[in-house]
Structures are given as structure tokens and as C-alpha cells.
Amino acid sequence: MKEYLRGLRAGIPIALGYLSVSFTFGIIAVKNGFTWWEALVISMTCVTSAGQFSGIKTMLMPGQYLDMIISQLTINVRYSFMSISLSQKVNERFKGVWRWLFGFMMTDEVFAVAVSEKSVSRSFMAGLISLPYIGWSLGTLLGAILGNVLPASVMSALGLAIYGMFVAIVVPEMKKVRPVIIIVIIAAAISTCFKYVPIIKEVSPGLAISISAIAAAIAGAVLFPVKDEEPAEETPSAASEGGVQ
């Protein structure tokens, strides 16, 4: 119980952030024709902000199942790598079905908190994901319900919140790593082409997002490759010691 409560406290800031972002998702979902309970079910079964915002646009176009699969894999594949990384830090009791259950709530913020732990227990992880899950679901419900009550001007303003969150995620990296600026510009340019250029603007939003992300990533890998660190050269003293042994 002590570990669970510690995880619960660590999840409070995440829950508050999710409450505001999912509130925006609830509003946008209702604006796009979904009912309040449909928006709630989406958030309760798929906790991924970018994936959900992209998904509801694709869902408005019946039959775009392949586009949905490609866009969701592109957007959410990072969670698989986060899970693999975190699996190296869990204790011996954190295995089997527990990894499947708690992996459902593997998000950027949850991973950032959990990976900072020396060892992650089942109780700590359960506490860490409890409030964020409630905050994400509750925020969606409130946004979906109030979306039919709030004035159009307020709804329009709140609809910009999600973009503000993405800007807050990208800008710090742009300041620290200059090549990221070029990659962001490339992604934005490609995405803009899919919006306005004839013929290719007919491509579905989900597929356009996937192509923009993959193309920008490839451009970044080609233009700004990361060199492997060369192994440190063995000093003469170390070599001699090795020979004595």
C-alpha cells in the first residue's frame, strides 16, 4: 500500500495535465459529430492524445481502415519502445499479465516518471496510472457534455489547447537540438502540401500524418546522422595489466 500511495502522489501532476487536454478532446469529438458517450468510450479504451485526435478525423470517413491502421501505428509505435525500455527496470514480481494490464497506460508522461525510479514495482505502477486514467476519462466526459453548453467562441478557443500542448513538447527540443528545427519545418511543409496542393490534398488525414512524419524522420536521418561513439582506446598501462593477468 505504501508503494501504491507513493505512485498515486506521483501521478497527480499528470492527471491534472490530462484533465485539460482530454477536455479539449471531448469538445472536438462532439463538434465532429460524436455523442458524449462515444467520446468517453474512445478515451477509456485508447489513452493516446495524438492518436485519438487523428483517429476521430479518420473515423469520419467510412472505409478508411487501412489509413487508420497506418496512422495509429506511426503515431503510437513509440509506446512499444518505451515499454521495452521500462521493462528493464521492473522488479521480479512485475511480470506476466501485469505487464499487459499496466502497459495499456504507457504514455510519455507516465514513462518519464516511471523510468526515473531505480526499480518499478507493480504497486507503484498501479498508483502512478490510476489518477491519470481517471483524469483523462473525466476530462473527456466534461468536455463532451459542456461542449453542447459553452458558447461557440469559448469552444473555439479551447480547441486550440491541444496545439499548445504539442508546441510545448516540440519547442524545448528545438532550442536544445538545432537540427530538430529543420525537421519540424520539413514536416510542416509536407503536411501543408497535403492540405492545399491539388491531387494529393485528397489523401486522408491519417495517411497524410503518417507520410509527413516518416518523410521528415527520413530527411532528419539523412541530413543529420548521429555518429556512433567510438570505443575508448585501451591505455598502455591497462594493456600491460591485462597481459599480466
Side-chain angles (χ1 to χ4, degrees):
M1 180 59 72
K2 183 178 179 181
E3 281 291 288
Y4 178 80
L5 293 177
R6 191 169 69 86
L8 208 64
R9 289 191 295 270
I12 292 176
I14 301 176
L16 294 175
Y18 283 1
L19 188 69
S20 60
V21 175
S22 61
F23 186 91
T24 304
F25 172 76
I27 291 176
I28 293 179
V30 171
K31 285 178 63 178
N32 281 280
F34 291 86
T35 62
W36 65 268
W37 66 266
E38 288 173 332
L40 178 60
V41 168
I42 291 173
S43 281
M44 292 182 69
T45 57
C46 181
V47 186
T48 163
S49 57
Q52 289 181 218
F53 280 92
S54 171
I56 58 174
K57 292 183 179 180
T58 308
M59 290 166 68
L60 295 175
M61 303 176 183
Q64 302 292 330
Y65 301 116
L66 181 60
D67 291 352
M68 174 75 79
I69 293 173
I70 294 174
S71 63
Q72 293 303 311
L73 281 176
T74 304
I75 294 171
N76 298 320
V77 70
R78 69 185 188 279
Y79 298 131
S80 298
F81 298 113
M82 291 178 188
S83 297
I84 293 171
S85 175
L86 188 61
S87 68
Q88 309 304 309
K89 305 197 71 173
V90 299
N91 62 23
E92 65 280 358
R93 296 184 61 192
F94 198 154
K95 58 184 179 181
V97 69
W98 296 106
R99 296 195 180 193
W100 288 88
L101 290 174
F102 294 157
F104 168 74
M105 270 298 294
M106 179 59 65
T107 64
D108 302 276
E109 296 77 15
V110 168
F111 171 77
V113 174
V115 79
S116 64
E117 293 287 311
K118 187 174 182 180
S119 178
V120 181
S121 65
R122 292 185 306 183
S123 298
F124 176 81
M125 193 66 177
L128 178 62
I129 66 177
S130 294
L131 291 181
Y133 181 73
I134 294 173
W136 187 258
S137 302
L138 180 60
T140 299
L141 177 62
L142 293 176
I145 294 175
L146 294 178
N148 294 322
V149 178
L150 296 175
S153 58
V154 176
M155 289 179 58
S156 178
L158 289 173
L160 297 175
I162 184 65
Y163 303 108
M165 185 193 74
F166 291 143
V167 169
I169 292 173
V170 173
V171 168
E173 290 299 318
M174 293 172 66
K175 290 182 177 179
K176 291 188 295 183
V177 185
R178 289 300 177 87
V180 174
I181 299 176
I182 306 300
I183 297 171
V184 170
I185 293 174
I186 292 173
I190 297 172
S191 180
T192 302
C193 290
F194 278 109
K195 181 69 175 179
Y196 297 106
V197 175
I199 300 178
I200 65 172
K201 71 177 183 180
E202 303 299 327
V203 176
S204 65
L207 190 56
I209 291 173
S210 300
I211 295 174
S212 300
I214 294 173
I218 293 174
V222 172
L223 296 174
F224 311 104
V226 178
K227 297 181 179 179
D228 295 331
E229 293 185 1
E230 296 182 359
E233 295 183 1
E234 191 176 24
T235 60
S237 59
S240 59
E241 289 177 5
V244 172
Q245 292 176 352

